[in-house]
Amino acid sequence: GWRWLRDALAASDVTVLTDHHVWVVEHGFTVHALLGPEQRESVAVRAEAVLLATGGYEKVLPFPGWTLPGVVAAGGAQAMLKGGLVVPGRRAVVAGTGPLLLPVATGLAAAGVVVPALVEAADPAAFLRHRRALAAKLPEGAGYAARLLRHRVRFLARHTVVRAHGGRALTGVTVAALDSGGHVRPGTGRYIPCDTLAVGHGMVPHTDLAETLGCRLAGAAVRVDDEQRTDVPGVWAAGEATGIGGAALALAEGHIAGRSVAARLRGTAPDPSTWARAAGTRARLREFARALDAVYAPPAHWAEQVPDGTVVCRCEEVTAGAVREAARDLGAGDPRTVKLLTRAGMGWCQGRMCAPAVAGIAGCEPAPSRRPFARPVPLGVLARQHRDATATDDATGEGAGEATDEGTEEGPS
């Protein structure tokens, strides 16, 4: 699949701009991107339409010890393996919930890491309730199960990590069984020595650029129509930003969005028959994704089991107790108010790591982020944007100029 996409792109007249890290899209559309690995210079790309394919990022719910060196996100462990065949440790427990845990555990074991346990919070009975929607993936699941057996990885279903142990680094974890209501069952804790814990609790759509443009959300994802159009004219979205569903769903949505964009930029109404096959794939895989969401939901009472002293926002070192105090004693009824009262989410990651946990512990629904930028931006870049905009205003005599940088690249985006 990847080779076909690469070859088709190479044969087209599409200009591919690599090492461009988009940090904001202005109405109009001007796409601003930081360049290269250092990301200290910005360029502007002009466009008549924008297709947002911003993906998602991993969700990790807190527990005592989750900030210890040696505790990594499950996706981070997988990226280390894929990126440089580097293993995060010698003995790794994989834990949390979600389909990502299976390839992470088998990948680590195949790379020579001892994996004493895969700790999955989901209830096996949930798979039976959704077996019809999940049937197509059963062979893939069976393949992972066979590899786990071959590498002697113990599968602990309906279990969760309750604590990570260690001083300057991780030395082990305590896991415990969950009852049918999602509570930890007393007396079931067991200690597993390890130097690495790869943990994850699913994915969250990355919607920063969409929210900056004013696109409406449906829950945590960007709302789109049958053509993958957002409610903002000229803005389409596809992939994990519109709902976590995997690579095959993203390809189907991207195919539909691309045809829709191409037709409408030519001034013609798109013909849905040209993407009928992709639409069928999209419908089937969205149903599959909904079933996965139901099966792999985090334990219902996870927030109650986080002690007050546990750090929730690691950037600002805000504890669960401080978040609870803001909600219980200070009347904070939404994540933004909790943020203002506690600084939770004001740090480097701007809530990308802690927002779901802060909302859950505060007992309120997650709220749109409304972040002005999609990634950290050097102050020098912002200063140059302001300087160039001011220079444009002075030259034209107008009250508002278009913010650009030293580099400008014309073309579709």
Side-chain angles (χ1 to χ4, degrees):
W2 157 245
R3 289 189 179 90
W4 180 86
L5 289 171
R6 179 198 61 191
D7 295 343
L9 193 61
S12 72
D13 58 357
V14 174
T15 300
V16 180
L17 303 176
T18 59
D19 267 341
H20 281 56
H21 310 271
V22 177
W23 56 276
V24 74
V25 180
E26 294 182 287
H27 287 280
F29 298 97
T30 302
V31 180
H32 295 277
L34 299 172
L35 293 177
E38 294 187 357
Q39 300 183 33
R40 294 185 180 278
E41 300 295 331
S42 184
V43 296
V45 181
R46 313 278 192 242
E48 296 179 50
V50 174
L51 168 54
L52 302 175
T54 47
Y57 53 93
E58 201 163 4
K59 177 170 65 176
V60 178
L61 301 177
F63 49 86
W66 77 299
T67 58
L68 281 170
V71 180
V72 298
Q78 187 182 52
M80 292 172 71
L81 284 173
K82 289 184 174 181
L85 296 178
V86 177
V87 296
R90 296 181 178 180
R91 185 177 174 90
V93 170
V94 179
T97 189
L100 179 62
L101 302 188
L102 288 168
V104 170
T106 55
L108 288 171
V113 178
V114 175
V115 182
L118 193 168
V119 184
E120 171 58 67
D123 186 349
F127 289 89
L128 297 176
R129 291 193 294 270
H130 298 275
R131 58 185 178 274
R132 181 176 178 181
L134 301 175
K137 288 290 184 177
L138 287 179
E140 182 179 347
Y144 282 123
R147 276 174 270 177
L148 292 176
L149 284 172
R150 187 163 62 249
H151 291 289
R152 298 182 180 180
V153 177
R154 187 171 185 182
F155 183 69
L156 299 176
R158 212 160 69 183
H159 278 65
T160 189
V161 171
V162 294
R163 182 177 291 273
H165 304 273
R168 302 180 68 176
L170 181 72
T171 56
V173 297
T174 295
V175 304
L178 297 166
D179 63 21
S180 59
H183 294 95
V184 170
R185 290 169 53 193
T188 63
R190 69 178 78 179
Y191 177 79
I192 304 176
C194 60
D195 61 9
T196 301
L197 170 62
V199 61
H201 299 91
M203 300 284 290
V204 179
H206 198 303
T207 60
D208 289 359
L209 292 177
E211 291 180 62
T212 300
L213 288 166
C215 301
R216 186 179 303 178
L217 302 185
V222 181
R223 177 183 290 184
V224 292
D225 64 10
D226 289 344
E227 296 181 31
Q228 300 293 137
R229 293 181 299 176
T230 72
D231 61 334
V232 175
V235 181
W236 282 252
E240 311 288 36
T242 67
I244 305 302
L249 176 56
L251 284 171
E253 291 179 346
H255 179 87
I256 294 168
R259 285 189 172 274
S260 174
V261 171
R264 292 193 177 277
L265 286 182
R266 290 195 301 265
T268 62
D271 180 5
S273 67
T274 61
W275 64 66
R277 184 175 178 181
T281 299
R282 179 180 62 182
R284 185 177 70 256
L285 292 178
R286 282 181 176 175
E287 182 183 2
F288 174 73
R290 286 191 291 270
L292 283 185
D293 285 343
V295 167
Y296 286 117
H301 299 281
W302 69 266
E304 301 170 14
Q305 292 153 192
V306 180
D308 281 347
T310 302
V311 170
V312 176
C313 170
R314 57 201 307 169
C315 295
E316 295 293 325
E317 298 185 350
V318 180
T319 64
V323 173
R324 290 188 177 111
E325 181 183 4
R328 181 185 62 239
D329 302 334
L330 302 179
D334 61 86
R336 183 175 184 276
T337 306
V338 173
K339 177 179 179 178
L340 293 173
L341 292 172
T342 67
R343 295 189 60 82
M346 287 191 182
W348 178 260
C349 82
Q350 286 292 289
R352 290 176 181 85
M353 283 291 294
C354 68
V358 169
I361 291 170
C364 53
E365 291 294 321
S369 60
R370 302 297 182 192
R371 303 182 188 101
F373 305 139
R375 64 190 310 111
V377 183
L379 289 175
V381 169
L382 298 179
R384 286 192 293 274
Q385 297 283 108
H386 175 72
R387 181 200 65 199
D388 292 346
T390 302
T392 300
D393 292 348
D394 293 343
T396 61
E398 297 177 358
E402 185 179 59
T404 63
D405 203 88
E406 292 151 347
T408 299
E409 299 177 4
E410 302 286 347
S413 174

